[in-house]
């Protein structure tokens, strides 16, 4: 097994252990490998080790990898997880399978309009700024329900859930509390009758706390590919 294969196995073991600790089925947590800044060959290696879902922060870089790995396209799922500007929505709508970072209706409307009719609906998550980080993207928790209602009504998109990137916290309980803030917003939207199934929370340093708070998708880069 390669180093990346070993790393993937270790992360999967962490997910199983974290789920077991809180009485969750490990199959309820999906692993998204964050491949930003790493070349296409590294994604190919991870795919050979059984990984199928990959996250990219930078649109141009992500599209270049998608095109370079076109021979694997049917077996890969590409997630745009970085901030998204209006001038990049068309290329994202045309190439990616998921977008995690919708924080305003204008971006969602453009993605909906620009999603090619021949492709399945674009799977999307709202990014919520749960700790009011001034330099962070994300809709405020108070405005998330209204945005969710509007996005859920758009054609060519399927609203799947929420994503959050809280500020790093020093210990497990502090991390969990921040993730629980996102989980509460998620549940409030579901209580409104909008069907959500994806809570995209947790990275290499805090995936255990995220899973304890209910995350269904962890976004892991460093623990798989190494430091950038």
């Amino acid at each position: 097994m390669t180093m990346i294969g070993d790393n993937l196995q270790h992360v999967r073991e962490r997910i199983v252990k974290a789920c077991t600790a809180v009485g969750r089925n490990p199959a309820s947590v999906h692993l998204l490998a964050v491949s930003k800044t790493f070349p296409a060959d590294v994604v190919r290696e991870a795919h050979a080790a059984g990984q199928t879902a990959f996250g990219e922060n930078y649109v141009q870089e992500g599209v270049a990898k998608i095109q370079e790995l076109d021979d694997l396209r049917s077996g890969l799922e590409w997630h745009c997880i970085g901030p998204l500007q209006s001038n990049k929505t068309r290329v994202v709508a045309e190439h990616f399978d998921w977008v995690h970072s919708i924080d305003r209706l204008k971006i969602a409307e453009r993605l909906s309009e620009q999603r090619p009719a021949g492709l399945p609906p674009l799977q999307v998550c709202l990014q919520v700024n749960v700790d009011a980080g001034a330099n962070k993207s994300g809709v405020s928790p108070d405005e998330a329900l209204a945005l969710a209602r509007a996005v859920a009504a758009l054609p060519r998109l399927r609203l799947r859930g929420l994503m959050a990137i809280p500020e790093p916290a020093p210990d497990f309980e502090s991390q969990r509390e921040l993730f629980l803030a996102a989980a509460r917003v998620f549940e409030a939207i579901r209580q409104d009758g909008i069907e959500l199934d994806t809570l995209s929370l947790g990275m290499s340093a805090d995936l255990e706390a995220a899973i304890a708070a209910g995350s269904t998708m962890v976004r892991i880069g460093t623990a798989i590919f190494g430091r950038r």
Side-chain angles (χ1 to χ4, degrees):
M1 191 179 288
T2 66
M3 182 188 74
I4 287 176
D6 287 340
N7 291 346
L8 278 166
Q9 182 61 31
H10 179 62
V11 170
R12 291 174 186 134
E13 289 169 358
R14 284 177 64 187
I15 291 170
V16 170
K17 186 175 180 181
C19 287
T20 302
V22 293
R24 293 184 59 190
N25 181 349
S28 69
V29 178
H30 301 281
L31 173 58
L32 180 62
V34 179
S35 46
K36 68 175 183 182
T37 78
F38 289 96
D41 286 349
V42 172
V43 174
R44 191 179 292 278
E45 186 177 337
H47 175 261
Q51 181 63 25
T52 57
F54 294 88
E56 291 287 331
N57 286 62
Y58 310 116
V59 173
Q60 306 291 80
E61 178 193 341
V63 169
K65 277 183 222 175
I66 292 169
Q67 293 173 334
E68 187 173 344
L69 296 166
D70 185 62
D71 60 305
L72 299 178
R73 188 65 184 93
S74 63
L76 297 181
E77 188 177 83
W78 290 99
H79 296 236
C80 179
I81 61 175
L84 188 53
Q85 299 172 329
S86 295
N87 64 349
K88 298 288 176 64
T89 55
R90 181 175 296 278
V91 70
V92 168
E94 291 173 347
H95 289 88
F96 282 86
D97 303 300
W98 283 67
V99 175
H100 288 230
S101 49
I102 291 177
D103 60 359
R104 56 196 190 280
L105 183 57
K106 177 184 177 182
I107 295 295
E109 288 174 336
R110 289 177 64 88
L111 290 169
S112 174
E113 292 164 3
Q114 295 165 346
R115 181 68 169 176
L119 294 179
L122 186 63
Q123 313 296 298
V124 300
C125 293
L126 307 184
Q127 183 172 351
V128 181
N129 188 345
V130 293
D131 53 358
N135 297 318
K136 254 195 269 149
S137 302
V139 63
S140 71
D142 291 342
E143 297 173 339
L145 176 56
L147 181 58
R149 287 171 176 162
V151 172
L154 293 172
R156 310 297 306 139
L157 303 183
R158 182 184 170 200
L159 180 60
R160 297 292 296 270
L162 303 182
M163 186 266 271
I165 312 173
E167 291 294 333
D171 55 62
F172 178 90
E173 280 305 320
S174 301
Q175 293 167 354
R176 190 174 72 92
E177 283 304 314
L178 287 170
F179 291 132
L180 283 171
R184 286 190 287 270
V185 179
F186 180 80
E187 287 303 327
I189 294 172
R190 291 180 68 186
Q191 288 294 319
D192 191 65
I194 299 173
E195 294 185 9
L196 304 181
D197 60 13
T198 300
L199 193 50
S200 173
L201 303 172
M203 298 188 284
S204 294
D206 54 18
L207 73 84
E208 286 82 6
I211 288 171
S215 173
T216 68
M217 184 178 292
V218 291
R219 308 180 307 273
I220 309 299
T222 302
I224 296 171
F225 300 112
R227 297 200 174 275
R228 293 173 174 84

